[in-house]
Amino acid sequence: MKPIQTFNVVPSLPVPLEGLRRLAYNLRWCWNHNTIELFRRLDRELWEQVGHNPILLLGRIDQARLEAAATDGGFLAHLERALADLEHYLSGELSWFAQTDGSWQGPLVAYFSAEFGLTESLSIFAGGLGMLAGDHLKSASDLGVPLIGVGLLYQQGYFRQYLNEAGWQQERYENNDFHTLPLTLERRPDGTPLTIKVSYPGREVRAQIWRAQVGRIPLYLLDANLEINAPEDRDITDQLYGGDLEMRLKQEILLGIGGYRALEALGLNPRVYHMNEGHAAFLALERLRRLMQQGGLSFAEAIEAASAGLVFTTHTPVPAGHDHFPPELIERYLGEYAREFGLGLSGFMALGRKNPADGRETFGMTTLALRVAAHANGVSRLHGAVSRAMWQELWPGVPKEEIPIGHVTNGVHFQSWISQEMNQLYERYLGPRWREEPADQALWQGVWRIPDEELWYTHQRRRERLVSFARRRLHEQLTRRGATEAELEAALGVLDPDALTIGFARRFATYKRATLIFSDPERLLRILNNPTRPVQIIFAGKAHPKDEEGKRFIQQVAEFTRQPAFAKRLVFLEDYDMAVGRALVHGVDVWLNNPRRPLEASGTSGMKAMANGALNLSTLDGWWDEAWQDADPSEPIGWAIGRGEEYRDPASQDHLEAEALYALLEQDVVTTFYERSNSLPRRWLTRMKTSITTLAPRYNTHRMVREYTQRCYLLEAERVQRLTESSWNRAKALAAWKERVRAAWPQVRLEVVEASAEGDLRVGQAVDVGAWVNLGTLTPEEVRLEVYLGRLDPGGELVEAGATAMRVVKADGPGRYLFQAEAVPCRMSGLHGFSVRVLPAHPDLSSPFLPGLIAWAGSETAARQAREVEV
């Protein structure tokens, strides 16, 4: 039965408690312990039952409790403090951005992401990508960066997980009631919902806009579940990563194109657009279209104008993890863009193809983003290198190390992940600045002032709470499964509050190797069940619904947990979410992470555990490779499994690294934990403090967002400003210049290259290089000549090379010039070589490399240009 009228019922709050509504609708509460405690005071049991959702709490709580709180002086004083703190926070007067660039007006950047992990009660995230996006918004809020978030509001979100009797993952989807979540529907002045329209084949789909207020940052979420839409279109925002390939395309069109239009409808005009993964890359198409319509620009001119202000972050070092769509789907859904751009289907498909001439290649979202964005980066130092190798094809002729994909290493938002007890400990010994300036290395030296007894007592309390949490969750899991009374009673006795506790929680992708530690079950049993030095492991994690191999990994872990010999030392917690993740990173002693290198882009769970005092035990991949290489080897920060080797045979790699893992546990991890002096594990505590003081200043999202702001957002905003002046004249000029350079480039050739090197050189000596170049119709000011000098690897390729600019010194007829570079240094010994190259040069280029426009000294001058010298 359909209703003839609808209305929303909101909580009925006594007048003295109205401030609770303001606190509940600003998600700052989810990283503010004081505000969380305020809501918990109303009804602690109900707070857990409603999944830490204050809106639902206020709607379900007994009215008598609210009336009692309204006359409770202590509660009202707590409420007043929380409100005053929020108002002071929102003023932003003392924020980092206000102090460094307080003159900025309006939004600086719009951050687009397919998922955002802000709180477990808002189910619009699946894993690490969403956690990172949520932490990015929170740190941007803390720092006062004028940022806007854009995403999708999923009716069911990601699935809820449970295991059946066979230990096989089952998925359950639950509908979100947006009216009982900390969300506000954006409305027009007349009170009707604000909607946008996006074209799909033969129809238009409408979406309304919800806002989640994340501290100072608005996050706008599109919802297509409207009665005006056809049933199949209402499902576009049904499930995160649900459905088939066509559904994925429809979601990404709504995210990118619809998200761009939503900002227009809201009257927001950010200077910079940040695409967090390729899911959002279609926003570039809408930006191009708008620039062509509103600015009267050609497609080539619009590309230059749009590129300035586009930032792209890739998170996926696995080729299969990047979205690709076949030509027929692209033509059906985006053919109108191809026609408006004047490209035709093949020209449009070329935007998303590594090889534009390959008609069989599908349309890649990452390829599109890399082609249009002025700035691109991976999420760790190693991932940046992996990404440059993966996408080298897009810049033919450019050395791998110079591919314009950098890195901004991920971090975590400490206030969201550090336990209340550790929070209080840091407050006492580091002072309140640790929350505002977690990237201050000197500040973290205060950790050494924490007495060992106090740090250990705090950590023990967290481990005890984790054990209680795990027992309770296991009991609930077994109850749902219809377990016997004996099984339920046994669940309340699993794990030991005093035993060395290892945590492993993440997405169960096969490359993360959740079952590596079970490679030798008998050896593992001896480690776990040592009578004087027991060890226990808590697992959690979900496999993608279509990942059968990942589900088998979960089943294997579940089977071990049911074996009597493992039962007390091994637990798998179902339905991994932020609440489970927090409990684990708060209470474990060791965080285990063993991905197969180099398939982990970054990983952030180990950073969360580190900030709570846990030690990392990990293969050298993602962020841990970077942390390990940068740390002082004489001051251990944790443990490395292997030494960063990469193997061609995965089976050999798994065997060798499993052996290394067991050896570390037996010979170092366990012995160090149980080695006591006056009841304290002094060496372990030293490692805890070393880990925190070394890693915390680096691996936090405050440092990360500041890097993005200084290295990307502000620089791209300045480029946008330059290119928009005088009706986009500079963008038009740049497009015209590029067209002329492309036409003239076939004439560019290096004719003669000579160097001063004779015989062996000593380290520190320099080489003088001269090159005659024919530039055709180009002028010396339009190119950059460089000497590219470095060592030679066994295959004769230049490695660890550097570029030195050359200057024009002579002209010899039309188009022919002599360039020279003097004193090009040789910085290390070994067999060296050099080449000379020509690049286009223009003050408005965002990158020195334009695809296909690089000329190297050719084979006809090989004897001169690649002259080898012993250094």
Side-chain angles (χ1 to χ4, degrees), residues 410-463:
N410 281 348
V412 296
H413 184 255
F414 284 165
Q415 290 185 69
S416 294
W417 297 104
I418 288 175
S419 71
Q420 186 169 8
E421 291 84 355
M422 285 297 287
N423 188 324
Q424 293 167 348
L425 204 59
Y426 290 152
E427 181 88 14
R428 263 198 306 278
Y429 292 98
L430 279 65
R433 281 184 55 244
W434 80 268
R435 289 191 298 272
E436 287 77 33
E437 301 181 41
D440 185 343
Q441 191 162 8
L443 182 147
W444 287 98
Q445 294 303 309
V447 167
W448 292 107
R449 295 196 294 270
I450 302 174
D452 284 356
E453 295 83 358
E454 198 168 348
L455 178 58
W456 189 239
Y457 173 69
T458 299
H459 186 63
Q460 280 185 308
R461 285 181 62 197
R462 292 310 316 175
R463 191 189 318 109

Side-chain angles (χ1 to χ4, degrees), residues 342-575:
L343 298 178
L345 180 62
S346 61
F348 187 83
M349 287 292 296
L351 294 172
R353 284 173 169 159
K354 281 187 174 182
N355 179 2
D358 184 355
R360 298 166 300 175
E361 189 180 340
T362 53
F363 188 97
M365 297 297 283
T366 300
T367 306
L368 170 63
L370 288 171
R371 285 201 187 281
V372 298
H375 175 93
N377 66 273
V379 289
S380 70
R381 190 164 62 204
L382 178 60
H383 180 231
V386 170
S387 297
R388 287 189 287 277
M390 282 182 68
W391 303 102
Q392 190 174 3
E393 260 182 273
L394 295 179
W395 290 273
V398 177
K400 182 171 63 178
E401 60 272 16
E402 291 188 296
I403 296 298
I405 302 175
H407 76 275
V408 176
T409 301
N410 281 348
V412 296
H413 184 255
F414 284 165
Q415 290 185 69
S416 294
W417 297 104
I418 288 175
S419 71
Q420 186 169 8
E421 291 84 355
M422 285 297 287
N423 188 324
Q424 293 167 348
L425 204 59
Y426 290 152
E427 181 88 14
R428 263 198 306 278
Y429 292 98
L430 279 65
R433 281 184 55 244
W434 80 268
R435 289 191 298 272
E436 287 77 33
E437 301 181 41
D440 185 343
Q441 191 162 8
L443 182 147
W444 287 98
Q445 294 303 309
V447 167
W448 292 107
R449 295 196 294 270
I450 302 174
D452 284 356
E453 295 83 358
E454 198 168 348
L455 178 58
W456 189 239
Y457 173 69
T458 299
H459 186 63
Q460 280 185 308
R461 285 181 62 197
R462 292 310 316 175
R463 191 189 318 109
E464 290 166 3
R465 291 195 184 189
L466 170 59
V467 168
S468 296
F469 175 86
R471 288 172 176 174
R472 185 171 65 252
R473 291 282 295 223
L474 182 59
H475 189 274
E476 292 169 357
Q477 292 170 197
L478 293 172
T479 300
R480 287 193 298 268
R481 210 175 292 155
T484 66
E485 284 297 324
E487 289 174 319
L488 292 174
E489 186 176 349
L492 298 177
V494 300
L495 306 177
D496 177 351
D498 296 317
L500 171 60
T501 303
I502 299 173
F504 183 100
R506 54 189 40 85
R507 185 165 52 92
F508 264 64
T510 51
Y511 76 85
K512 294 178 184 284
R513 299 187 298 181
T515 57
L516 185 70
I517 199 168
F518 297 102
S519 300
D520 187 340
E522 293 303 317
R523 190 171 179 183
L524 178 59
L525 267 178
R526 290 194 297 273
I527 294 171
L528 298 182
N529 290 325
N530 186 305
T532 59
R533 300 185 307 185
V535 178
Q536 56 201 16
I537 310 175
I538 303 176
F539 283 88
K542 297 176 177 179
H544 188 280
K546 296 179 181 177
D547 184 0
E548 298 297 308
E549 192 61 29
K551 291 182 179 182
R552 269 190 282 275
F553 277 25
I554 291 175
Q555 185 181 43
Q556 291 170 28
V557 174
E559 286 174 352
F560 279 109
T561 67
R562 296 174 182 181
Q563 294 179 20
F566 284 97
K568 283 186 176 291
R569 303 289 182 208
L570 201 61
V571 170
F572 182 89
L573 300 181
E574 298 174 11
D575 203 25

Side-chain angles (χ1 to χ4, degrees), residues 168-287:
W168 192 256
Q169 174 181 291
Q170 305 289 295
E171 295 90 31
R172 182 178 75 253
Y173 290 90
E174 297 179 355
N175 284 319
N176 290 312
D177 180 359
F178 302 152
H179 296 282
T180 59
L181 289 168
L183 300 168
T184 303
L185 188 61
E186 292 293 325
R187 298 181 181 275
R188 298 186 181 93
D190 64 3
T192 58
L194 180 63
T195 61
I196 53 99
K197 294 186 292 186
V198 177
S199 295
Y200 287 81
R203 65 203 189 276
E204 286 187 324
V205 174
R206 290 182 181 270
Q208 60 188 4
I209 307 165
W210 296 81
R211 173 172 49 84
Q213 192 64 36
V214 186
R216 301 177 177 117
I217 303 297
L219 167 60
Y220 296 105
L221 302 165
L222 299 183
D223 165 25
N225 187 15
L226 306 179
E227 288 191 4
I228 195 172
N229 292 329
E232 63 270 22
D233 293 328
R234 295 180 69 168
D235 289 343
I236 291 174
T237 53
D238 190 18
Q239 296 176 2
L240 173 59
Y241 304 139
D244 57 12
L245 189 64
E246 187 169 359
M247 177 58 76
R248 178 67 67 88
L249 177 61
K250 289 193 286 188
Q251 288 184 333
E252 295 185 357
I253 287 172
L254 184 61
L255 172 62
I257 296 172
Y260 190 96
R261 293 181 183 181
L263 295 182
E264 284 188 326
L266 290 160
L268 298 170
N269 183 28
R271 287 284 180 85
V272 178
Y273 295 82
H274 188 164
M275 300 172 283
N276 189 43
E277 246 325 342
H279 309 124
F282 287 141
L283 80 84
L285 302 182
E286 185 66 6
R287 182 153 173 74

Side-chain angles (χ1 to χ4, degrees), residues 301 304 728-739 842 844:
E301 292 166 346
E304 302 308 326
W728 299 97
N729 278 348
R730 291 186 72 145
K732 294 175 183 177
L734 181 58
W737 176 83
K738 280 189 178 181
E739 185 176 355
H842 191 282
D844 287 333

Side-chain angles (χ1 to χ4, degrees), residues 2 44 52 120 172 183 397 420 453 486 610 674 800 802:
K2 290 283 188 179
R44 295 180 184 277
H52 305 161
E120 55 270 27
R172 182 178 75 253
L183 300 168
Q420 186 169 8
E453 295 83 358
M610 168 274 296
Y674 284 104
E800 299 176 28

